[in-house]
Amino acid sequence: MMMSSHATELFLKAMLLKRVPEELVWDLGHDLESAWEGYCLSFPEPEYQWDIPFKTVYSAGITPAQKAEFQKMRDAHHSILFRYPVDKKTGKDWKGLYAFEPNLFIPVLRKMKDDFRRVWSVAV
């Protein structure tokens, strides 16, 4: 799971660099959601659209204040969360609600592969 999250992060950064070579993608760190926002701004065309895994999804009825509270509770970005099972500084578990069933992740991996190939082939 960590490797697929990291692959998504690096794919987004590669696409950003392909479109805007002077883009400072490394300043994004491991923040997948910021990389996704930058990607959406740089690639608004329909042929570049895809639904990335590893993004935070909020319920439809959530208020902006509730969303801000949930965002403050998130200790780690997805790339870090899956790489390190605990906070390296404190040794404690990350805050949040997380669930993962490996057998249910296979379709996500297949879709990622298809999306990566499709989007990259349009960009080349």
Side-chain angles (χ1 to χ4, degrees):
M1 186 172 214
M2 185 281 291
M3 294 308 294
S4 55
S5 173
H6 195 60
T8 302
E9 173 193 328
L10 294 177
F11 182 80
L12 291 170
K13 288 177 178 178
M15 290 297 294
L16 287 168
L17 286 172
K18 188 158 193 55
R19 173 88 23 123
V20 186
E22 62 277 2
E23 180 82 31
L24 300 174
V25 297
W26 310 119
D27 290 350
L28 297 170
H30 296 295
D31 187 347
L32 195 57
E33 293 185 27
S34 292
W36 175 245
E37 288 172 14
Y39 175 88
C40 289
L41 290 172
S42 295
F43 292 90
E45 303 90 348
E47 62 268 23
Y48 290 105
Q49 298 310 303
W50 56 296
D51 189 27
I52 68 163
F54 311 111
K55 63 183 176 186
T56 305
V57 179
Y58 298 98
S59 300
I62 194 170
T63 67
Q66 289 171 320
K67 182 177 177 181
E69 280 301 311
F70 288 136
Q71 287 173 331
K72 280 195 286 186
M73 285 178 15
R74 184 180 74 185
D75 285 332
H77 297 293
H78 294 94
S79 184
I80 295 168
L81 174 69
F82 301 132
R83 189 176 311 166
Y84 308 112
V86 297
D87 183 335
K88 288 171 42 173
K89 292 177 187 163
T90 66
K92 295 182 179 178
D93 291 335
W94 298 110
K95 293 179 194 168
L97 299 173
Y98 307 105
F100 174 64
E101 290 288 334
N103 61 324
L104 298 177
F105 195 61
I106 292 169
V108 174
L109 289 173
R110 287 187 179 126
K111 182 155 180 7
M112 279 177 57
K113 180 181 81 172
D114 293 344
D115 286 336
F116 282 7
R117 286 181 174 167
R118 178 185 55 78
V119 171
W120 188 256
S121 70
V122 174
V124 219

